Amino acid sequence: SSGAATGAGGAAAVTEFFGNLNQNLSLARYQKLITSKQFRQLSLFALRYGIFADAVTGTILQPNYAIMARPGAVPESFASTSPFDVNSATYFIPMSALTGVAISCLVTGLLSDRIGRKPVLQICMGGSVIGTTLKWLLRGTFWGFCGANFLNGLVSGGLPVALAYLGDVFPDHQTKQAEFGIVTGCFVLGNSVGGIVAILMETQGLFAPLWVGVGLMFLAFVIVTMMLVEPRDLQVLAAEGQGQQDSELTKEHAADDDSDVSAPPEKINQIVMWNIIIGAFADNVGSNGLFPLCLSPLAFDQFYNNFAVAGLTPVLSLIGYKWMSVMVALVVIPASLVTPLLFNKIGAAGGCVVGNIMTAVVTVALLFLGSGEPNTAYLAGFITVMYVGFPCTVISQLSTGPMLDRIAPVNKRGWVQGINSVTMNIGTALAPWVLGMLADQAGTNIAIWTGFAVSIVAALINLPLMWVKGMGPPPKKVDDAEKAMTWEDQEVIDKLLRGEYIPGAVRDKLNEKRTREGLPYLLPDPGTYAEDSQRLNELRSLAKEEFKYETNHNNAILHEIAMGRRNDEAKLKAELEEGVNRTNKSMQMLGDDRVDEVYTKLGQWFADHVRASGYYAHVNQVLMKQVMQLFVCFAVYSRVCPFVIVIIRVRSCTLPSLTRRHNHKSKTGSTRR
């Protein structure tokens, strides 16, 4: 009844009013995530705030690490950091947390592919409340605090789940890259805000900011629980990797060089994936030669500590060092917003290589300025290069998420993003600590030159990715005049044509728009039973919500017809005639041959299903024909008219009772009537 149902929406007022009404009152939450921009924004707000709060809590003591790891610096400093010296102890504190995060990301990404994104995010947010409290309780000793830091890291793997969430919700690659940038920007902003909180609460003690983190994470848990919509229910992109067969129209669209639409791959290209992962690891190691090594110990010793030890007035105050260290991360936010524009020009892989090269260049510049005369001029130059150049270096780190999403099947998105986060966190955890020990043994300059060399190696590793399909410069945009719909509608159209699940409200909206534009109805490819056999449970689980929508939609239109007859029957008749004329025109444009082909495939699908379900239809043919009578007759008219519209709507709404009466024959025997 989908085609006829759309035709019944011929009246513009009916479509406008009841379309909005049903979308807001009748659709399930997962359907609204597609059909309602406002509803989607609320869910994205919950996601972004959760990632922001997690980043704030994870870095809320970061400016204090150098003081915590210097015994005797302040009363709350650790009494001993044995067996580590100051530099290695300073970097071991965040390393203990990041090691836990690395392990967590691998588990959370894989787990979210199995049980859904939202439950895993809830576990991370709630677990961080407990973990942060534990850090406060064990703050008395270096190893006790590091142990609590590690345990808190084990429940802090929300970022890969958030990136996988975006991969589920946004089918268009450029929009997805922009959303990746926004979420990553929230993460980077959280890293800066965490440090700012520590500085503002300096008089309350080194560890007091932890309670702010506890409050933020508890609020994040509440917001995610109430507002985040589980995207796995959508199944718009694919059904666990099944049903990826394209119709001829979809294949032509996917093969079009001007299109940014492509079906998710059925399996991961392992060579490309490990190229991305190894390149990302080298990039993170090299980046640590710049930040934090150029900041501490290079700038810290050169502009503050050497003066303080000699009893002189430092060029840079301790509070100034803290602000410089936290605010440098803040300037990454504009870079995260501009990065998608750069990717649209040179591709994600090109951006990755550019980021690696910029990391090497900025590292050398900071090494030169930080090794010069310790005066205000060199300090000003150091700060300028740090703040201008550092945002350019994170481009490479923002590129790995979109590149991995390109090669990931739908049911592996969480896993590959988890691998990415594991790699980044291992690199971020180990590199500062190892380079810090190298700085203690061989000197700071040697450690920073090592980071420079690794950044160059990272650029060479990532260079071949520029020739991988989908990772280089994107195709030119097609002019709007050459599109049947907007990109958003076109993307969903392609999914529908492949026979994948699309909510009924979306199908009706698309077909209504096509009839108004004089286009044929969308004709999905039924596919084969073998392709759908692994997602039968999914089809069943979605049936209830679909029937609820159809029932409410039909009731609304019947009510509008009844009200139209009461208020202005002539106007109603004219609107219905206009609508059914458009419907008939769109139906006729499909072509008998194509319609016959679809019915043939659908019939074969039913036959294969009956056979796979254990029915001996080949020897019980009459019985099977009798079973098929459960499909009650909607209408026998070859063309749609207002009278047929009413018949179809009424019988659609009463379908369950009709089928029950077939199953339980009444005493009179007149079940059909």
Side-chain angles (χ1 to χ4, degrees):
S1 64
S2 178
T6 305
V14 175
T15 302
E16 183 79 17
F17 178 77
F18 285 98
N20 292 336
L21 180 66
N22 281 322
Q23 282 191 15
N24 287 288
L25 296 181
S26 301
L27 294 184
R29 284 166 60 85
Y30 71 88
Q31 292 175 323
K32 291 182 184 179
L33 196 57
I34 287 184
T35 60
S36 172
K37 181 178 180 180
Q38 182 180 8
F39 195 83
R40 184 165 60 248
Q41 289 301 320
L42 289 174
S43 185
L44 290 175
F45 166 77
L47 182 76
R48 293 166 184 168
Y49 175 77
I51 295 303
F52 168 78
D54 187 41
V56 171
T57 305
T59 59
I60 207 163
L61 297 182
Q62 191 167 30
N64 299 337
Y65 290 159
I67 303 171
M68 292 160 56
R70 294 175 184 268
V74 297
E76 287 186 285
S77 297
F78 297 124
S80 172
T81 60
S82 179
F84 301 126
D85 292 327
V86 172
N87 285 329
S88 52
T90 299
Y91 294 128
F92 186 83
I93 296 172
M95 190 195 87
S96 61
L98 291 172
T99 302
V101 174
I103 298 172
S104 174
C105 287
L106 184 60
V107 176
T108 56
L110 184 62
L111 188 62
S112 73
D113 286 331
R114 296 180 179 274
I115 69 172
R117 316 297 184 203
K118 182 174 180 177
V120 177
L121 288 172
Q122 288 174 304
I123 293 172
C124 291
M125 304 304 165
S128 189
V129 173
I130 300 173
T132 306
T133 303
L134 187 64
K135 288 163 67 173
W136 166 266
L137 296 175
L138 298 179
R139 69 192 185 282
T141 64
F142 173 76
W143 285 105
F145 182 82
C146 289
N149 222 16
F150 172 76
L151 293 176
N152 188 60
L154 289 177
V155 290
S156 301
L159 184 60
V161 183
L163 296 179
Y165 183 100
L166 298 175
D168 292 339
V169 174
F170 294 98
D172 176 74
H173 293 298
Q174 291 190 16
T175 305
K176 193 181 301 183
Q177 287 179 357
E179 290 296 330
F180 279 176
I182 293 174
V183 169
T184 305
C186 291
F187 183 77
V188 174
L189 176 63
N191 287 335
S192 296
V193 172
I196 293 172
V197 171
I199 295 173
L200 294 177
M201 296 185 66
E202 183 177 21
T203 57
Q204 278 74 42
L206 292 179
F207 299 94
L210 289 173
W211 289 113
V212 175
V214 171
L216 289 173
M217 293 311 300
F218 179 76
L219 182 60
F221 175 79
V222 173
I223 291 177
V224 167
T225 300
M226 296 179 62
M227 298 176 60
L228 190 74
V229 181
E230 174 57 56
R232 283 176 58 83
D233 290 338
L234 293 172
Q235 301 297 340
V236 172
L237 299 179
E240 298 297 339
Q242 302 296 323
Q244 295 288 345
Q245 303 301 315
D246 295 349
S247 65
E248 293 181 5
L249 178 60
T250 304
K251 289 179 180 178
E252 291 175 2
H253 183 73
D256 188 355
D257 290 337
D258 292 336
S259 173
D260 188 42
V261 177
S262 59
E266 296 183 3
K267 61 180 182 179
I268 298 175
N269 186 323
Q270 295 289 332
I271 295 177
V272 174
M273 185 189 76
W274 286 110
N275 191 332
I276 297 172
I277 295 301
I278 295 172
F281 180 78
D283 175 43
N284 275 273
V285 173
S287 295
N288 279 279
L290 188 159
F291 184 84
L293 219 59
C294 282
L295 194 61
S296 176
L298 182 64
F300 183 79
D301 287 343
Q302 188 77 347
F303 299 113
Y304 170 76
N305 197 51
N306 292 343
F307 286 88
V309 171
L312 302 174
T313 302
V315 178
L316 176 68
S317 67
L318 183 59
I319 190 67
Y321 164 77
K322 287 184 177 182
W323 278 111
M324 183 173 69
S325 65
V326 299
M327 296 303 291
V328 70
L330 197 61
V331 299
V332 176
I333 296 173
S336 67
L337 300 178
V338 173
T339 294
L341 301 178
L342 178 64
F343 290 171
N344 290 340
K345 295 292 184 181
I346 63 176
C352 186
V353 174
V354 169
N356 296 147
I357 295 173
M358 287 300 301
T359 299
V361 171
V362 174
T363 299
V364 171
L366 291 177
L367 178 60
F368 169 76
L369 293 168
S371 301
E373 290 293 327
N375 54 40
T376 54
Y378 272 87
L379 176 60
F382 186 93
I383 294 174
T384 301
V385 172
M386 173 73 80
Y387 276 74
V388 174
F390 182 68
C392 301
T393 68
V394 301
I395 296 174
S396 53
Q397 297 178 26
L398 297 176
S399 68
T400 54
M403 288 194 293
L404 287 170
D405 184 81
R406 281 277 191 173
I407 65 170
V410 173
N411 63 332
K412 295 293 184 181
R413 280 185 178 140
W415 183 75
V416 297
Q417 295 297 348
I419 292 290
N420 176 37
S421 294
V422 168
T423 303
M424 294 180 65
N425 281 290
I426 289 178
T428 306
L430 293 179
W433 184 55
V434 173
L435 292 175
M437 289 193 297
L438 181 62
D440 286 336
Q441 300 298 320
T444 300
N445 288 9
I446 295 297
I448 293 176
W449 276 112
T450 301
F452 164 83
V454 175
S455 293
I456 297 298
V457 172
L460 296 176
I461 293 174
N462 290 315
L463 188 63
L465 295 173
M466 295 181 64
W467 287 272
V468 175
K469 183 178 180 181
M471 297 184 188
K476 294 181 179 179
K477 286 289 186 181
V478 181
D479 188 82
D480 288 342
E482 301 177 22
K483 297 179 181 179
M485 301 276 182
T486 63
W487 73 264
E488 188 172 10
D489 285 341
Q490 188 66 61
E491 179 73 14
V492 179
I493 287 173
D494 292 334
K495 304 303 178 183
L496 190 148
L497 290 174
R498 286 201 289 269
E500 300 175 18
Y501 169 72
I502 298 293
V506 179
R507 293 195 302 270
D508 285 352
K509 182 179 178 181
L510 291 174
N511 279 323
E512 171 63 21
K513 183 173 182 179
R514 294 179 73 84
T515 60
R516 291 185 179 279
E517 295 184 0
L519 298 170
Y521 269 86
L522 295 169
L523 199 60
D525 186 350
T528 65
Y529 179 77
E531 295 166 354
D532 292 337
S533 59
Q534 299 301 315
R535 59 168 184 160
L536 295 180
N537 288 335
E538 172 215 336
L539 293 175
R540 296 189 192 100
S541 67
L542 296 169
K544 179 180 178 180
E545 295 295 340
E546 286 300 296
F547 180 76
K548 183 188 299 183
Y549 161 74
E550 291 291 344
T551 300
N552 293 340
H553 189 57
N554 290 335
N555 285 336
I557 292 179
L558 289 172
H559 175 74
E560 182 66 16
I561 292 174
M563 294 300 295
R565 292 186 62 186
R566 181 182 304 173
N567 299 329
D568 191 343
E569 189 168 356
K571 180 180 178 182
L572 172 66
K573 182 178 179 180
E575 290 175 342
L576 286 174
E577 288 292 347
E578 179 187 358
V580 297
N581 287 337
R582 289 198 305 265
T583 298
N584 286 324
K585 180 180 178 181
S586 294
M587 285 289 192
Q588 292 168 358
M589 293 174 67
L590 294 174
D592 293 339
D593 292 341
R594 179 65 180 135
V595 173
D596 291 343
E597 179 186 351
V598 170
Y599 273 110
T600 300
K601 287 185 176 181
L602 192 59
Q604 186 61 52
W605 195 101
F606 284 142
D608 292 343
H609 177 57
V610 168
R611 186 173 188 176
S613 300
Y615 292 92
Y616 296 106
H618 56 293
V619 295
N620 292 294
Q621 299 172 17
V622 174
L623 175 62
M624 297 311 301
K625 291 177 182 178
Q626 292 170 331
V627 171
M628 291 299 291
Q629 298 308 304
L630 290 173
F631 288 85
V632 297
C633 181
F634 275 153
V636 293
Y637 302 91
S638 59
R639 291 173 60 83
V640 176
C641 65
F643 175 68
V644 174
I645 292 288
V646 174
I647 292 176
I648 291 176
R649 292 297 180 187
V650 172
R651 290 186 174 177
S652 295
C653 293
T654 58
L655 180 60
S657 62
L658 289 172
T659 54
R660 284 196 297 269
R661 289 168 66 183
H662 273 283
N663 289 327
H664 304 286
K665 187 174 180 181
S666 67
K667 294 180 180 179
T668 61
S670 56
T671 58
R672 186 157 192 173
R673 295 182 61 82

